């Protein structure tokens, strides 16, 4: 609930209600919840009610005549099962290549390079120092090595996609444009050549 907010307007009907778990506690001041982890969550709801100052007889009459229809909801596993086979194969790959963690890590690397002037090797050494201090030498080295390998694979894959997919498409589009321009120029020259003899005869 929003403190001091306007009352809920349901004059046009209320057909759907969604819930989202935020890492911020809503209040006069936004505070971050400890231990928040992004992802799916489940919530057992016993009842949902709306309250209005109406006579008890009217409320009982509405409840007695109301029909309850429970919408069909799908769990995470059911959503995964209903995906086409191609998406089932592509989702894990795309999730690994374009995950939120990878994007945040890329932004952090860019900040370290721009703000602190670290090279790529300097960023890796910085990560090793942080992880070995927190997790120990062996585990810190293993985590940094796995992250570096994953980032390298992502970079190589993106470059391959650019070279094998986007660049050929760009070259094909450019060739079509050049062909269209050449055709237009040839037609224009032909028309000019047909006009010159007529002007000379006149």
């Amino acid at each position: 609930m929003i403190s001091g907010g306007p009352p809920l307007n349901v004059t046009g009907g209320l057909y759907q209600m969604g819930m989202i778990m935020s890492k911020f506690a809503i209040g006069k001041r936004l505070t971050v919840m400890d231990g928040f982890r992004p992802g799916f969550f489940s919530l057992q709801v016993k009842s949902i009610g709306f309250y209005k100052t109406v006579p008890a007889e009217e409320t009982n009459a509405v409840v007695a005549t109301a029909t309850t229809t429970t919408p069909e909801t799908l769990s995470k596993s059911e959503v995964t099962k209903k995906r086409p086979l191609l998406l089932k194969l592509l989702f894990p790959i795309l999730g690994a290549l374009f995950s939120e963690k990878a994007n945040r890590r890329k932004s952090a690397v860019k900040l370290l390079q721009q703000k602190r002037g670290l090279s790529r090797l300097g960023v890796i050494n910085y990560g090793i120092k942080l992880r070995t201090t927190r997790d120990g030498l062996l585990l810190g080295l293993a985590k940094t090595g796995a992250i570096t390998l994953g980032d390298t694979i992502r970079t190589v894959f993106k470059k391959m996609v650019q070279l094998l997919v986007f660049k050929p498409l760009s070259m094909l589009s450019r060739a079509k444009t050049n062909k269209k321009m050449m055709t237009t120029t040839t037609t224009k020259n032909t028309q000019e050549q047909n006009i010159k003899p007529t002007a000379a005869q006149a």
Side-chain angles (χ1 to χ4, degrees):
M1 300 297 291
I2 301 175
S3 178
L8 183 64
N9 184 4
V10 294
T11 54
L14 185 64
Y15 301 98
Q16 186 176 2
M17 183 173 64
M19 294 185 182
I20 184 170
M21 181 65 179
S22 173
K23 69 177 181 179
F24 299 104
I26 305 299
K28 292 183 179 179
R29 293 183 179 179
L30 287 178
T31 56
V32 180
M33 298 177 60
D34 295 332
F36 177 84
R37 292 176 301 178
F40 283 86
F41 70 94
S42 60
L43 177 67
Q44 294 183 355
V45 180
K46 183 178 180 181
S47 63
I48 298 177
F50 291 92
Y51 301 91
K52 184 180 179 182
T53 55
V54 295
E57 296 80 7
E58 182 180 342
T59 303
N60 294 333
V62 171
V63 173
T65 57
T67 57
T68 304
T69 304
T70 304
E72 181 184 358
T73 57
L74 299 177
S75 64
K76 181 182 177 181
S77 59
E78 290 174 335
V79 171
T80 304
K81 288 180 181 178
K82 286 182 176 292
R83 286 174 183 165
L85 180 60
L86 181 60
L87 291 181
K88 288 181 181 179
L89 296 174
L90 289 178
F91 260 75
I93 300 174
L94 295 176
L97 293 173
F98 306 101
S99 65
E100 184 63 26
K101 286 185 178 180
N103 292 333
R104 288 200 301 265
R105 193 160 51 246
K106 183 178 179 181
S107 300
V109 169
K110 187 179 293 185
L111 284 175
L112 288 172
Q113 290 176 332
Q114 293 177 352
K115 301 295 183 181
R116 298 195 180 186
L118 297 179
S119 62
R120 180 64 182 173
L121 183 59
V123 173
I124 295 174
N125 290 332
Y126 181 76
I128 291 174
K129 290 179 181 179
L130 288 179
R131 293 185 181 90
T132 51
T133 303
R134 183 185 60 195
D135 303 323
L137 180 61
L138 294 178
L139 188 57
L141 289 173
K143 285 185 176 181
T144 305
I147 290 172
T148 305
L149 179 61
D151 290 343
T152 304
I153 293 174
R154 271 187 289 271
T155 302
V156 171
F157 180 81
K158 289 178 181 179
K159 292 294 183 182
M160 288 178 61
V161 170
Q162 289 177 355
L163 291 174
L164 300 178
V165 179
F166 292 110
K167 192 169 183 179
L169 289 176
S170 177
M171 292 176 64
L172 182 62
S173 176
R174 196 178 305 164
K176 287 183 178 180
T177 304
N178 293 336
K179 184 178 179 181
K180 186 177 180 180
M181 292 177 62
M182 290 177 62
T183 303
T184 304
T185 304
T186 303
T187 304
K188 185 177 179 181
N189 292 336
T190 303
Q191 291 176 351
E192 290 177 353
Q193 290 176 359
N194 292 336
I195 292 173
K196 286 181 179 179
T198 304
Q201 291 175 5

